[in-house]
Amino acid sequence: MLASSLFAGCFPHNARNRTIAQIVEGGVAVSGVVLEGFVQSGADCSMLAAPGEPPLKCESNASVGGGIGVALILAGVVGFIATISSAEDDDKAPVIEIKAKPDAAPAAPTPTAAPAPAPAPAT
């Protein structure tokens, strides 16, 4: 489900699948942020090493964990943007139907009587 939502999860014609893809991609981005919060930095490694021993293993683990966290964040954000940008617009203009025949001439207006003149003022 994760791979389909990230790599083939644009779903421009299906709103339900698009919503599922957006939720999964948001979850991937959030999991990358959480992973970044728990990964030790390289500075923490010097405190954990035994005296006289280089902290290479700890620094390597911190670097790999940080790289995975950043990759998760980027994959989630890029997938989310791709899903949103490929979606069809829901606001479609209504179709206007013309019911008059194109051959028909417009109806002639009916003649009306001229208005009566105003009465002359009394003097």
Side-chain angles (χ1 to χ4, degrees):
M1 183 171 160
L2 175 65
S4 68
S5 69
L6 286 176
F7 302 116
C10 295
F11 306 113
H13 303 295
N14 192 334
R16 179 179 177 273
N17 291 346
R18 230 181 12 249
T19 302
I20 292 171
Q22 290 171 355
I23 291 170
V24 170
E25 291 155 356
V28 169
V30 169
S31 68
V33 171
V34 169
L35 181 65
E36 286 291 328
F38 285 114
V39 171
Q40 292 181 347
S41 70
D44 296 338
C45 294
S46 62
M47 300 293 284
L48 298 174
E53 195 174 304
L56 298 176
K57 176 98 171 136
C58 179
E59 289 177 357
S60 174
N61 289 343
S63 176
V64 169
I68 291 172
V70 169
L72 286 172
I73 293 169
L74 288 176
V77 170
V78 168
F80 192 80
I81 291 170
T83 301
I84 290 175
S85 65
S86 67
E88 292 179 344
D89 289 336
D90 293 334
D91 301 332
K92 293 186 178 180
V95 177
I96 299 173
E97 295 180 18
I98 300 175
K99 298 196 179 197
K101 294 181 183 176
D103 301 354
T110 57
T112 57
T123 51

